[in-house]
Structure formats: C-alpha cells, structure tokens
Amino acid sequence: MGKGRPRAVERGALGHGYGGVVSHPVASGGGPGIPLAPVFYPTDEEFKDPLEYINIIRPQAEPYGICRIVPPKSWNPPFARDLETFTFPTKTQAIHRLQARPPSCDSETFELEYSRFLGGYLGKKTKKKLIFDGEELDLCQFFNAVKRYGGYEKVCVQKRWGDVALFIGPSRKISECSKHVLCQLYREHLFDYEEYLSKLNFENRNCRSREQEKGKTLCRKRRRIDSFKEMIVVNGGMPDQICEQCKSGLHGDVMLLCDRCDKGWHLYCLSPPLDRVPSGNWYCLECVNSDKDSFGFVPGKQFSLDDFRRVNDRIRRKWFGQGNASKFQIEKLFWEIVEGKAGELEVIYGSDLDTSVYGSGFPRSGDPVLPIIEVDVWKKYESSPWNLNNLPKLHGSMLRVVHDNIAGVMVPWLYVGMLFSSFCWHVEDHCFYSINYLHWGEPKCWYGVPGRKASAFEQVMRSTLPDLFDAQPDLLFQLVTMLNPAILQESSIPVYSVMQEPGNFVITFPKSFHGGFNFGLNCAEAVNFAPADWLPHGRFGAELYRLYRKPAVFSHEELLCVVAKNVIDSKALPYLKEELCRIFISEKNSREEVWKNGIVKSSLMTIKKHPLYVGTEEDHTCIICRQYLYLSAISCSCRTTTFVCLKHWKHLCECDSSQHKLLYRHSLAELDDLISMACVGTPHHVHSQQSTLSPQVSITKLKKVKGGQVSFAELAEDWHLKASSLFEIPFSNDAFTAIMSEADQFLWAGHDMDKVRNVATKLIDAQKWAVSVKDCLLRVDTFSCSENDDIEKISLNQIEELLSIHPVPCYKPGLLKLKFFLKAYADDAKKLIAEIRTALSSRLDIEKMEIILSKAMEFPVDIEETKILATEMSSAKIWMSNVREFFFKETSTAIDIGFLNRLKLEMLELRIQLQEMDLLVNFSREVDLLHSRCNEILKRPLKLKFTELDNFLKDADKVRVSIPELELLRQFHSDAYSWSHDFHDIMNNLPDREDYENIVVELSGILESGNLLRIEVDELQLVEAELQRSRCREKATKALQHQMPLEFIEEVLMEASLLEIKNEISFFKLAKVESEAIFWEKRASYVLTNGGSMSEFEDILRASEHVLAILPSLSDLEDAISMAQTWICRSQPYLIDSRHTDDVSVPLLGIEDLKELVKLSRNLKVNLDGPERLEKNLNDIYGWEHDTCLLEEDTMTLFKEACFNFTTVNHLILRIVELLTRANSATKIGISMYVALGELPKLQHATLTLQWSLDALSFCTRTPLAKDIDNLLEDAHRLPIMFSGCSLVQMLVNGANLLRKGLLALSGPQNSKRCLLKEVEEVLGEIQKSVVPYPSMVARLQNAIEKHNSWALNVHKFFSQPSKKCWASLVELEEQGQSDAFDCPELAMVALEFGKVKNWMLQCYAYVEPLIGNLGTLSVELIKIKESLHKALSIYRSLNGSWTKTFCLCCSNDSESDCTYTCISCGNRYHFSCMSPSCTSDNYSCSFCICMETEAGVQNGEQTLVCQGNRPEFKSFAKLVSSAETFYPGIQEVTLLQEIVELAQECRFHLYVVVDHANSHYKDFNVVSKNLVCALKATAVAGLYDYDGGCNLQSALSRHSWKVRVKMLMTGVKKATIQVIQHIEKEGLEMGIPYENQLMLELTQLKQTSLQWLDMAKKVASDSGEFALSRVFKLMNEGEILPVKFDDEMELLRKRSILYCICRKPDDRRPMIACDQCDEWYHFDCLNLREEPRKAFFCPACKPFNGDLISLPRPAYHDERSCGREGEPQTPACHESKRRQQQPKTIDSCLEGNAVDAAEEGDFLKCCDEIDYFWRVRRRPLQRASKKHSNLGNLSQLLPFSTCSQTS
C-alpha cells in the first residue's frame, strides 16, 4: 500500500521511504537548527482506517517521537460549536516563569538547615541579614540561583554572576563591581555550605549506609526510631508517629522523620522511594516547598470567544505592534520570554476542556445539529473514524474495553489557545499515543523528543534545572516547565519540530516527551489512543507510576486480562501474549514468595458485575505504591480495610505472616488459560489440562517445617489424601471446614493444582448439600412447633433441588428417611398450589379467600402462590377502604377525577368480588356527562360570552368533583374579571402622569393580555387609541432629552398632527429644534460645495454643538476636516527641510507616499498651503532618477565591454575612478533628499562594484597577501547579481584566483600540503597568459622554482656518494627541503632517512620523559643516567673494599653547601632533601638501613626502594641499541645509549652475585644483610631499572626477612601467637621455601608442639577437677617455656589451679560454706555437713570438734600469698547452695562424722607445705570474700553437728 502523493512543492524532498512522507533537514518554523519531524499525506483509501495507517507509518515516524498528518482534501469536518454562544474557563500562564523561575523553596527551612550547618560544622553563629544594593539578600534564593547555573566554580568560570543577579532580582541592573560583590558574598557565606551539601550528595550516591554515619545530625532521628517500641508502651499501644503516606505507625525502624516538622514517612513510601536513610538532615517536601511561592497555572474566569480574541489581539499589539511578525520572530521571542530575557508576560489558555461538559469540535450523535451545517455532512463526520470521539474505541484499540469516560483519555479535551499560550514538556498518561487536531486558527508549534531518549531527556532536565527538581522530584508530572530545545541539542538530545496548520493532525508516540506553544488564536482537540504495539510502553508507564507513588488512571493488569477475555484483533496477539506472560511470571513468583514466608490463607476477590470492561468498579489500592490491586493483594486481620500489593507485603503490619491473607482474582491456572487464548486467538482452543505454560509453572519452592523442608506439591498431595478420605466417613461440618481452610494455600496455583481444586469443589458442593438438608428439616420442624409467624419457611424450590441431586455428594446417615419427609412436604405443597389457582380464577368473595389464605399461611413450606393470594387480598382491602373514604368522608374540597379513574382501573384488575363496585360505577356515569359538556364549550371557535359562562359555572358547582376542563373555564372567567379591573385603574390615572415610557409599557401589557383572553371585552379599542398617543409623546420627550436625527424629529411632528396633539408644549419645543437644525444644514452644505478655509470649517463645526439634533452633514464636515488634518500631518516630513540634520536614525520617506499626498491634495475641500511645495519636490526626484539611470548605463557599459576594449591597467583605473566620483556625488544627493528612492540601492550597488574593481586592479602593481585575496574573493560573492556576471568582474575574479594559486604554491614549503613542481610551473604559465598582468607574482614564482632545482641537485649528490654520508649533512638537507622544496621524490627520500632517526629519538625520549619531564635535552638526560650507573657500580665494588666516598649517595650533587647527614648504621652521607631520615636526637638512619633492621621496613622496602618508579627499563634501552645499528655515524645519543647498556649489564651481574649469596646462606645473617643493603642502594641509585633484577632482589629481601623473623621466633626474644606462627609458615611456603629447609623444619615442629599443648590445656581447663594439680602446674610450666603466647589458655589454667576446700578441686557447682574466722570456703559434703549451722560457723582448722579454738600454723610466706596479682575468685552465691547441693551421705552418728572430719583435717595439714609452695608460685591470695552464716540461716537444719549439740 502506498502512502499518498506529496505536494508538488515538496516532491523534491522525498527519499526512498514511503511516498507520503516529507522531511526537511531544518524546520522553517521550528527555529534555527531544529529539524522537522516527518509529514505524511495519506490518500483517500489510506485515510479510511486511522489505526492501520498509523501502524504503517510507525517505523518511519516513531524514531522522531512526533509527526504530522495532512488529511486528503476530501476531509473537511465542520466545527460543531456555536462560536457566538461558546464560553469556556481559562487558566493563567506566566510564560516568563516556565523556565527562569526560582524553586518554591521554604526560606524558613533553608535558614534552619543553614544555621544547623553553621553551628554544627563551622562552630559559628547564624549570620545577620546580608544587604546587597541596598536591599536584603534572600540567602535561599541566592543559593538556588547559583545552583541553577552549576555552582560557584562554574559560575565563576563562565562569568554568569550577571545571570545570577537577574535570577534573584529580574528588574535589577547590575554593574561589574556589583557582580564582584555578589561573588564575594557567596564565597564568604554560602560556598562552605555548598561544599558540605556536595559531600553529602556524594556519600548518598556512593550508597554509604546510615549506620556508618555516627554524626550528631542523625542522633535525634535515631533516638526517635530506636525508641519506637517505647512510644507504643507509653501511648497505650498506639504509636505517636504515623507515616503520612500509608497512615501506619508500624515499621518504625525504617521511619524517616522530617528535621523540621517531625512528620514521618517510611523509606519505601516516599516518591520516589529511598533504599537507605540519607546523610545529613532530611526535610519533607511540605517543608522544602513553600505554598507562598508555588508555581502553577492559576484557574481564571469564564471567557466568551470574542473576549478571548480581544485579549489575544492586545497581547499581539503589545509585543509586535500593528505589523505582522514572522513565525521565526514569534518563536525567537517566545524562547527569550521563557528564559527571562525579554520581560514578563502572562497569557490565558482555555486548556483541558472536557468535551462532555463544554462540547466537542466534532459532530456527535447526542449534540444538536447547527443550522449552518447540513444534516448529511453532520452524520458523515459523526461516524468518521478520524473523529476523535470515536478513535479510542475503534477496532484494534486496547482502550475499547475501558468503560469509564475518562477525560483526556477516552473523552477528548478541547484547547482554545492564544498567542504564546503553552503546553509544557510532558509524556502522556500511561505512555499513551496522543492525537491532536487543529480545528481553526493560527498554527501550533510542537517540539518532540523520541521515546528512546526519554531517560536522557529527563537527565538533562534535572542537570539544567537542579533546584527545581530538588524541590519537586516529580516536576515532569506537573506540566508547568519548559526548556529551550537548543539546550537539549547541546546535550546531544535529538529534538524535532512540527508546525501544525489548521486541519492537520499531530501524532505523538509512546514515551515521547513533547511540548510547544501557539502562534495565535486557535482551537484544537486531542485525545489518547492505544493500539496493540502500545502494550509494552503501557507496562513502562505503570512501573513509573509505581516508582513515583502516583495513582494510575486504571490498572494495566486489568486491561490486559479484559482484552484477553474479549474478542481481540489478531495483530495484537504477539504483544498481548508477551505482556500476559510477564504478569504471569511476576504473579507466580510473588505468590510463591509470600507462600514461602508463611502466608497460607487465601480467598478470591469479590467478583465484578461487568468483568469484560475496565473501570466499572474501582479496586482497592496499595497503601504504599498507590496502584490498583486487580490481580492480587495482601490483607491482615489487624487492618481489615487496608491492603498492599505482593511486592510490599512486608510493609503492611508487624503481625506474624500467618495472620496475613492472600486475596486473588484469578488463579495461576486461569492466567495460564488467558495466555493460551492469546496464543490461539479464540477460547475454543483452551485445554485446561494441557496449557501453554503448564510444564513450566509447577511450583518447586520448598518451605521449612519442623521436620525439615517440604515442597508445595508434597503438601498438596498430602491434603488430597486427607480430603478424599472425608467422602467415605459420615459428614462432619467441622471437618469439612477445617480441610477447606487448609486448601486455601493451593487454590491460587497453576494447573498442577487442578486435582486439588476439583476435590475442593466437590467438598464445597457436598458441604452445601449436607448443610442445606439439615437446615431444611430444621426449619420445617421449627415452624411446626413454634407459634411465631416470623420464622422463615423452606421454599418448595429448595426441596425439589435437594431431591433432584443424585447421587448424593457425601455420606449422610438416615438419608432414606430424610428423602421420605421431603417428598411428603413437596406433594402437599403442590395440592395447595392447585387450590389457590382455582380460587383466583373463579373470583370468589373475600370471605372464602381468607379461609384459603389462612390454610396456606399455616403450611410449613413456602410457595409463590401464597404470596400472590396475600397480595390480592391486600389490594382488595386497600381498594375497598379507598372507595369508602371517597364517598363517605366529609370534606369541603372537590373530589379529584384522576383518583376516581384510578379506582375504576384498580377495580378491573381485582380478582375478588366486592359490594362497593356498583356504587362506584353509578357515580362515574354522572361525572362523565359533566366532563363532556366542558369539552364542548372549550372547543368552540369564537370567544365566549361572559354571562353565558357565568351561568354554566353556577350549575357545575353542584357536582363535588374536580375536572381539569372545568377548572380551566373557571380560570377564564377569573382572568376576564381581573383584566377589566386593571384597565379602569390605568385609565383613571393617565391625565396626571408624564412618565410616558412607563405608560407605554403598561398599556402595551394590558393590550397584549386583553388579546389573549378567551372571553370578549369591549374596552380593547380604547386601549389601542391611547397607546398610540402615549408612544408619540414618548418619542417627543426622548427627542428633547437626547440628540436624535433630524428625520426622526420631522416624523414625530407629523405623527402628532395626525393624532391631533400637536398643540401640546413638548411638541412646540420640538418644532424649535427642527428650525435650528435646518439653518445649520444650509451653512454646512455651502462650504462643503464651494470650499473654505480651515477656520470656517471649524466655526461651523463648533456651531453644531448647540443644535439638539443629529445633523446629516456633520459627518461629511468632520471627514473634510479630518482629511485635511491627516494630509497636513503626513506632509509635514516632506515640507520640513530636514537636509541639514545628520541624525541617521530618521526614517526615510516613501516616494509612493509623496505621490499619494500630491494626488490627495487635489481632492481636499479645505484650502491649504503646501501642495505646490510637495509637487516641486516630486519633480526634483524625477530629475535625480533620470541622471542616476544614465550613470548606471555608463557603469554597466564599462563592466560589459572592458575585456574587449582593454588597453592598459592605468587607463582602466582612470575610467573607474571617474565613474566612482560621479556615483558618490549622486549617492550623496539622493541621501540628502531623505526619500526612499528606488534607484538609490542600485546606485549603491554600482558604487560597491566599482570600488571592488579598483581594489582588484591594485594587485597588478604589488604582490598581495593571501588574506587580501581571500577578502577580495569573499566580497565578490556579495556583489550584486546584476554586476557579478559582467565580463570585467569575471576577469578580475579569475585573476584573483590565479594569484591565490600562486600564493598557495609559494607558501607550500611552509605548510603541510606542498605543490608539485609541475603544478607550480602550470600556475606560472596561467598567470603569464592572463589578460590582467601580474609581474610581481611572476618574478616570485620563477625564483622559487630555481631554489627547488638547486636543492634537488644537492640531494642527488648526497645519495650518490655513500662514503661521505653523515648525520650533519642529512640534517642540513632536511632543513633546506622544509623551507625551499616542493613536493618531489627527493623530499620523500630525505624525510624517510631523517624520520628513522627522528622516530628512534622520539621513542627514546618517550622512555626517558617520565623520569625527566620536560627538563633538558635527550643527550643531557642520558649522561645523567650514565653517571647514576657509575655510582651504582661503585656501591657494588664497595663489597670488595674499593669505595669512593661521596657527599650524597642518592644524587650527583657532591656539593658540601647543601645540608647532609651521616647514617649511624652504614656510614654513608645523604642530603636531607634526598632522604627523610628517621632520627633519635642527633642520630640519623637512612631508609636502606631501616629497611633491613625492622620487619616493617623490609616489607616497605620491597615496594618502595625496589620499585621502578618513573625510571626507564633496561630491556627498552637494549632494544633501542639493537635497532640503531644501521644509523649514520655521528649520532651522540646512540653512543650514550650503548655505554648505558654496557654499564647496566655489569650492574646486573653484581646483583645476581648478591642475590645468589643471600638465597644460599643460612648462618651469618649480618653479612647477608650488608650485601642486600648494598644491592638495595645500588638498585635505588641506578637511573635505569632492571625488571628481572628487581624481582630477584625483592624475592631475596622477602626470604631474608622471613629467615630473620623465624630466627627471632625460635630464640624466644618475643613470643608470638599460634596464629602468627601459622601465618609465617604459610608465607614461607608461598615464597617457595621447601619443607626440607632447616628453619622450615624447626618452625613446623614448633607449630605441632604448640597445637598439642593447646589441646591438652583445653582438656585440663574443662575437666572439672579430674586431673591432679601437679599435672596442671606442670602443664603451665611447659606453656611458659614454649616461645608461643597462650594468654587465654594460661588464664584458664590459672583459674583451674585455684584451690577450693580441702579437696583441692575447683568449684563444681556443689554447695559451699565460709568459715566466720578465717573466711575460707568448704564444700558441705567435704565437711560432711547436712544442714546450715544456726549460729556462727568455724571450720575444723579454727575450732576443733571438742569446742577449743585452734589456729593453723601460718607459713612465713602467708603474707606473700595474700598480695597476689590475680583477682580473687568468684565465690558461689549462698542462695544457690540449696539448688546445687547434692544428696548428703548417710552416717551412723554425729561422732563418727566428727571423727572422719578430724582425720581428713590431719591429711590436709600434712600436705600444707606442698600447697603453700604452689600458692607462692602462682601468687594466689588466700583471703576471699565470704558470705556470713547469717545469710544462710535457712540451712541450719542441714548441718549435722547442730543436731548433736542440741541433743547433748
């Protein structure tokens, strides 16, 4: 299918695309540099289907984001609104604030944060108010202004302080000094704050967690968050802080509080949400934004179209005057206003007008057809698919299933625009397509950005307007911001423009940002639409709403599901399937996730009434993201009215997940079926058992249970087995309910749960059946036994339904008996139905009917016929009551005939016989007779007689009924009586009244009402006569009060004569006015006919002011005066002698105006001076034009014939000078006339051409510069067309081009592009053949050729004598060739040879440059490297005793003037500037010695002293030496490089010797260290780096360091932990040290011994006293001997060795008691105690059993034991004694127990020496804190000796 034909004008712009598209590189109306979007011209055939045509052009148009469609000529819809009565509301737009506006920031919030910054970070107080230019400076606005232009640094670099000043004060003019002051103010007061905010933003961008920020700014918020649970307790379970979004006080750990208003928001509820707490203080948008400074389009008043047009015209005149501005000028001015550069402008815009309220511009079926539109045309466009009211619901549109009439989406919006009214940058809702049709008016300018660049566009907007986006993150949703497209283009954002003309459509594509403005008054209409390819973009729009927490227009998921359920277009199937699969996978994953997290409860959502339409019922929304919950939701029993989506289920509440419930509308199986429908396109192909996604949708996730993990399928299978077993046992409602509640977690799944769903359905049916049977019998029994009539009966339908079910769904005991009872009730019910029907058909009397009804009411089964009979009885009783009230109630009002007729109709419908029916029939006949008489009177054609009607009404009053026709006759009678009374009142007051205007109104009214009467009245003729006289008097009064036309006055006087009232006073006065007007008319006619002076005309005009009439000739007189005044005003510039003024700003006068003035002067009726002077000036102009034409002819003749008559250059110059003099003189005269002369531009063109020719001829006598020739040729392009083609001009242009070639050839050797010798010779020949001679250029070219030939000869000599080749000769040839040679082979030969060496030197310089930078030449730096290698060699040789002392080892400067120091270790000297020594008082150590002496130094030395740094590498130099073997002799750099490589190889050898010695030596480490220090110094001093040698040295240093550390470890100088030993062993293995190495063997053995000791120590520490103390102390001694630190283990052993009781065992949780004398602790069972002593307790050592106190001998070192270093052991608490004491042993008597205790005490004293020895060794104190027996009183009964003492 083609795309239509382009217009002939644009046919040349077509490419290889579709035939109907036209695209231009640059828009004619889009501004400079903005390309046009494509334009399409469909044919009539293509125009039939809008969606199909848009789909065809989409591949070509969508990359632009916007396009224009020009309909065929046959498309011409009428505008369906009446422009006369059309009114609409408007909005006010401040155009100058669309971009250049400050953000609506709250200054108080800014000041609060700024003061916190000053106090918290700078320690300063808040600044006082700043004054700038005599006004207070708003810091908030000042800060945002600098932020708008990129910050302080960028504003300073770009010098934009003037823009900043305009931003904070638009009307302020600022000087350079003020700019500097503004800069200083910002630098002093706000720069630190800017840096602080930049740092915070950097931290936030790099995702630093808030927990790492321990600063004071977050302390308050953290306290609020941490104390959340406390708040709930304090407030009785209700939190004092809730989220402003979701209204929940839960999840306080992610609640973010505003640092000003203390309102809270969850991080996930913000728009957009935050994933962490931001650094620094945080303020909500309510505190950041100020309502006072908020910006938006303010609603305005209602406008009619005429009023709106007047406002538009006023704005156009203000900005463009009376002239017509071009589209380019309008667009340029618009963007200047938007950017705040052209002043302030407010316009009004009738935007977003809902066409369902204000009407559509297209015809619609329900709208009235306008009279000016034909009905056929209206119907044609009413049903047109391009009618925007029809387009959203066309076949193929996804929106046709949307039920709601959503304004702007489903219902078009109307737009009435004026000049500069704008629609700002935005994307359509849900990323829809949009279509806009311009009905009429001025064009509309559009700008569009393709959807693929939407993210980049938003990023540019944010970076350009950062302050606005910081204050309003969702700024692009508000449609109030514009940005110049030029800024977008600078950021590489493609922008395209569209100029929409009336009758054009504009299409915007999904995700395309677009905006624009209007060029003037117009009316457009727009609507959204959504073809199938929109679906992926709709998903993006839905996610955008979710991200920014914006309510969607409708649910995207609902739209997809509803479209899939309806019959859809086959073209939409691929898109629909993809989107359905996406939501299926998302829904499946989300449901599985919530199931895995414990949400097993589920239920179906409420079924919608209209499931095949979108928007019929509104779904719940998620309280977090505010999106519709169509597919699924989560709820909780604690918040039954609150729901969240599956993505935010964790944020619903803090209840356990078992309390949550999943609500779903479709199971996964149903969603799978929808996808299957989308695959095949029809529901008949859906297979529930084998669906599209079934193999992939089985749920494989596992859930943790007590016994492990279980899968979803395993749980389902287990449920299936339990549920199936229920059908085999007697029915239990509780069991069924329980098993169904368990099934909730499976019903939402896919087809793999079909088996579960089938069983669940059977369970539900069975439960319903069983419950229904039980309920049925229960209600029958209850009704039979109860006397209450309110008990609900069982219906017959229910009984029959229960009896019809076979087989029964579940096992129910007594089933046969139940069926028998139900069958009996059903049979009785059928008999009763037959009896009722028979009674109603026979129309029995009411008594019999009541008997049958009573019988039916007592029957326990509810049947429909009972209700019918009861209704009939009730109706009959009501009718009977109404009839009795109608006839027998006494009332003064008449009976309504309508009520009577209604009773008659009700009587016919009754099926019961009543006595009152005959009475009603008789009364009805009488009323019908009266009714027919009234109709007969009303149908008479003539008016009624008053007396006849009065008699009839008296007879009708006897019947007490209200008939409408009778009431109408009564009204006629009353109206006639009232009219007669009013007439007499008016006529009686007429003689005394003079308000004739009111009299006319009253008489007109009484006459009109009299004509409308249906009864004849005789006074109408009197009214008509009096009305005519009153109207005449009213006219006379009006003529005396106001000026009226003379003809009107004459007519009034004539009418007064006819009515015979001319003698009244008012008519006498009016006749006088008539005579004065006639006299004035005669004077005016005379001067208008014969002419007169201006004073005469003005006198007559003044006289007209005293005449009280509108004069016919007054307008002619005023026109004559006005015409004369206008002529005088227009002729003044021509009459004033302005030739003496030098003001160039005075505009030139038009000659056509002068001719017109001369012509008009002949038609003037006022005699004036001046027309003769104007005519003389016109004749002078004619003469000047004649002379100018002659001069132009001479000039043209010269230019055309000069090449044929060319003699000499001097002769031609003289002729040109002569013509140039004449032209300058004529130009001067023409300018002095101050008239816009048509020949003056031609004369100036001729003068310009003559001057150019004179300049071109001057090159014949001199050699010009290239700049002069370029200027001349450039000026030649600007010569007038009439002269540019002349032969002389062409000849001079050709000569200038030859000169340009010659100069290029001469300048070639100095430029990169050289000319060939042959080309130079050709240029020389052309110049010599030129008609215009150029001798100077010829001589220069010949000289250049001779120099080149001489140089080429020298080159041939150089290459032909190889023996004489040297580097100096080649350099000389190269320099001469660069200056003198043209392009030739010899030049290439020299360049090749020279380039080899040059490239070699550049490569060498590249290796050396990182070391030297840009200092010195290459040879000088190579000498320095050579000297450094000599110094390195001398260091190596010092190992053999040959050493030359220098003042500094690290540099070549041996001057003593610099400060030096001597290393105390190696004795070498260094400059302080070369080394940073480590010093102790006056002792200094160099870095090399420190490297070897300390472990850290060795590790650092490996990286710093051995690294390459910026030194060149040895291999690079060796490669350079190899590549320079074929060079010419005499190159100094090559020789130096060879010497450097030789010295480096010698150093390499010495390094190898040192490294080999270090790796193979294991005994004397001092010698190895000395050698390594020398190698380290030599490597660091050398100016050339050897990579292999450096690696070897680094390895040797590492191995040496490892050996030293192992040696130190083995000697036990410093103990290390077992972890350190293992780390050292690992390091050695990584270095490649073998296991056979002696040190490695020792280290391995130490590690194994230490690990064995650790195992034993742990075992002993936890043995509960199993091991003897001697073994413990031995283990401790072994641990101290080992060179390993065992701090923790030794501490455990120390505690283990503490002695308790006499058993020498530690505390093993047995009950203990303390002696009140020595404070020592003993186990109860060790002392054989059974209960606690009642009084004081003394151990056996302090008090023997016979009662005498004894004292144990105190060793000499007892005091030593008492002051040990370790802390005292933790003694068991007394209150734990009972809990820990073991069962006491049984003893025979107390004496035996005492004897045993005494024996044990003796043993204890024997081993005292040994114990004391260990106490002394371990430094353990004997004194311990004890608990007195007073606290153990409850244990006194357990002590055995207490009982003994009592018995004794």
Side-chain angles (χ1 to χ4, degrees), residues 801-852:
E801 183 179 356
L802 292 175
L803 292 174
S804 64
I805 296 177
H806 183 77
V808 293
C810 65
Y811 176 60
K812 184 74 174 175
L815 180 62
L816 296 176
K817 183 178 180 181
L818 293 175
K819 283 189 174 183
F820 175 76
F821 282 120
L822 294 177
K823 185 71 170 62
Y825 281 120
D827 294 341
D828 294 342
K830 292 177 181 178
K831 294 178 181 179
L832 183 60
I833 291 172
E835 183 179 359
I836 294 174
R837 290 176 179 175
T838 303
L840 290 175
S841 61
S842 301
R843 297 178 66 91
L844 300 178
D845 57 16
I846 192 169
E847 289 81 6
K848 296 180 180 180
M849 287 292 187
E850 285 180 350
I851 296 173
I852 297 175

Side-chain angles (χ1 to χ4, degrees), residues 337-358:
I337 297 173
V338 169
E339 293 178 336
K341 299 177 181 178
E344 299 181 357
L345 170 64
E346 284 192 355
V347 301
I348 54 177
Y349 193 13
S351 61
D352 302 340
L353 304 177
D354 189 351
T355 54
S356 63
V357 178
Y358 301 100

Side-chain angles (χ1 to χ4, degrees), residues 112 382 443 702 995 1033 1115 1158 1167 1340 1472 1531 1592 1689:
L112 175 63
E382 174 189 311
L702 302 177
D995 54 335
R1033 294 188 186 102
S1115 59
V1158 173
N1167 299 329
R1340 289 189 61 185
F1472 278 97
I1531 305 176
N1592 293 333
E1689 291 76 7

